[in-house]
Amino acid sequence: MNTTVQLLSREISESHYARASKLLPGGVNSPVRAFTGLGIPPIVIESGYEDQVVDADGNFFIDYCMSWGALIHGHAHPQVVMAAQKQMARGSTFGALTPIEIELAKKVINAFPALEMVRFVSSGTEATMSAARLARGYTGRDLILKFNGNYHGASDSFLVQAGSHVTHLSPTSSSRGVPEDFVKHTLSLPYNDCDALYAFFSDADLRRKVAGVIIEPIAGNMGVVPASHTFLSLLREETKKAGAILIFDEVITGFRVGPGGASLLYEIEPDLICLGKIIGGGFPAAAFGGKKEVMEHLAPLGSVYQGGTLSGNPVAMAAGLKALDLLQKPGFYERLEEKTQM
């Protein structure tokens, strides 16, 4: 058998990366793209279609990553592209309410039993950050509890025992530049450890201070580790008793493990859910939502501020709406599960 491996030519990609390294820190705009630790220059992608991407040298690759979970229908799906193009011809951003936001909100809310209202934002980081602020504003407390290895984006208060690329930086506060005053308001416990969770909520002082608990019900950034049903059930029970807000970070799992995400899969209703990736159809879009009683604490109805010029961007909303429409085709999730098992 001929075991010779023919190495791909990547001269143009390497040239691009060399130029980028003079203009962008590390040559990238998100750390994991630098391929740190792999011993090879990073991939530089020119285009993508369906299940493949093409690099700057014309090499084809099967894409198992799909923009970190955003492209559930693959690259450049014709119907998603058309929806975005139609909206761009009408205008790409207005900084004002548009009908398409209402349509996407309705579809998202109908998919998740725990949702009565949602607020659209531009990234998963913005969604989790805003959900934590809302939990604090609603409860009048300061402490947020998370779990080791769970990654909730790049905001200061969540860069504590975080997953994803930040694990290479620091085991405690996962980034320089995060003040201890921020870190002290975020505690992190072992994931899937019922004894540690019970001990935390058995501490009367901590129980009174905790505003919210955020968790990835299926942790994606440390190797796709599902929480046990026992662990999530205990978490739901203890947060209710403590009067704390339970936040499911479903930026990755939302619309991926099923139309109602992990909360429907586990049949556990959190107080707030954070969504992203798929709901933008390949464009920057995310959301957080929950019961009306909690969500109405957001400005302009309440005193918890959150806003953004590109929140609910109509192009992202149009692409996301079409992406969610395509999920409703008969047998879609069954085929996705077959591919996953294969």
Side-chain angles (χ1 to χ4, degrees):
M1 178 184 291
N2 185 356
T3 59
T4 302
V5 176
Q6 183 175 357
L7 297 178
L8 298 173
S9 172
R10 300 184 62 217
E11 291 181 8
I12 298 175
S13 295
E14 291 180 24
S15 175
H16 281 318
Y17 182 60
R19 288 171 54 227
S21 296
K22 297 176 182 178
L23 304 170
L24 308 170
V28 292
N29 283 306
S30 188
V32 72
R33 299 176 192 176
F35 284 26
T36 304
L38 295 184
I40 59 174
I43 189 169
V44 180
I45 297 173
E46 286 275 6
S47 63
Y49 186 69
E50 294 184 345
D51 63 346
Q52 296 184 47
V53 292
V54 185
D55 74 2
D57 294 274
N59 299 307
F60 285 74
F61 300 91
I62 297 174
D63 186 359
Y64 291 98
C65 186
M66 290 296 168
S67 191
W68 309 103
L71 300 175
I72 195 167
H73 303 296
H75 294 279
H77 190 285
Q79 293 184 48
V80 176
V81 171
M82 185 178 297
Q85 288 175 335
K86 283 184 176 180
Q87 180 55 52
M88 287 186 71
R90 292 191 287 263
S92 60
T93 179
F94 306 107
L97 180 66
T98 58
I100 196 74
E101 295 168 67
I102 304 168
E103 293 305 309
L104 185 58
K106 181 179 179 182
K107 188 169 284 289
V108 169
I109 288 169
N110 286 343
F112 288 79
L115 298 183
E116 292 178 353
M117 303 183 92
V118 296
R119 171 66 62 87
F120 288 114
V121 292
S122 297
S123 70
T125 289
E126 197 177 352
T128 56
M129 175 182 71
S130 301
R133 183 185 302 153
L134 179 56
R136 287 177 168 130
Y138 178 77
T139 61
R141 305 171 183 175
D142 293 334
L143 191 63
I144 296 291
L145 176 66
K146 64 176 294 291
F147 297 93
N148 299 350
N150 283 207
Y151 178 68
H152 304 295
S155 63
D156 285 354
S157 60
F158 289 137
L159 290 178
V160 178
Q161 289 285 331
S164 192
H165 188 78
V166 293
T167 55
H168 299 292
L169 301 178
S170 169
T172 51
S173 170
S174 298
S175 172
R176 292 288 298 272
V178 179
E180 286 299 318
D181 282 347
F182 280 77
V183 175
K184 74 180 181 182
H185 294 303
T186 305
L187 297 182
S188 194
L189 293 181
Y191 189 66
N192 261 341
D193 189 328
C194 290
D195 291 337
L197 183 63
Y198 185 76
F200 175 90
F201 280 102
S202 295
D203 186 315
D205 186 51
L206 289 175
R207 192 169 61 244
R208 284 193 301 267
K209 292 178 180 177
V210 64
V213 181
I214 188 167
I215 187 170
E216 286 186 275
I218 301 173
N221 284 281
M222 63 178 185
V224 190
V225 180
S228 71
H229 193 276
T230 300
F231 183 69
L232 288 180
S233 296
L234 178 62
L235 182 57
R236 176 68 286 187
E237 179 184 341
E238 292 296 333
T239 49
K240 277 186 176 179
K241 288 193 295 186
I245 296 293
L246 176 58
I247 306 166
F248 272 15
D249 179 350
E250 296 220 43
V251 167
I252 292 177
T253 55
F255 291 104
R256 178 158 294 278
V257 298
S263 58
L264 194 61
L265 185 68
Y266 281 93
E267 297 183 331
I268 294 175
E269 283 196 11
D271 300 298
L272 293 173
I273 295 175
C274 298
L275 299 167
K277 307 283 187 190
I278 291 168
I279 70 166
F283 287 82
F288 63 102
K291 299 301 181 186
K292 187 177 180 181
E293 175 191 350
V294 179
M295 293 299 291
E296 287 187 336
H297 279 70
L298 285 172
L301 297 177
S303 56
V304 177
Y305 182 77
Q306 185 282 322
T309 300
L310 295 177
S311 295
N313 173 262
V315 178
M317 299 291 98
L321 184 61
K322 178 54 67 174
L324 297 193
D325 284 343
L326 291 169
L327 295 177
Q328 295 178 321
K329 286 188 174 182
F332 177 86
Y333 282 102
E334 289 77 8
R335 291 192 299 274
L336 186 64
E337 181 66 20
E338 287 174 8
K339 293 173 185 176
T340 303
Q341 292 299 330
M342 183 174 64

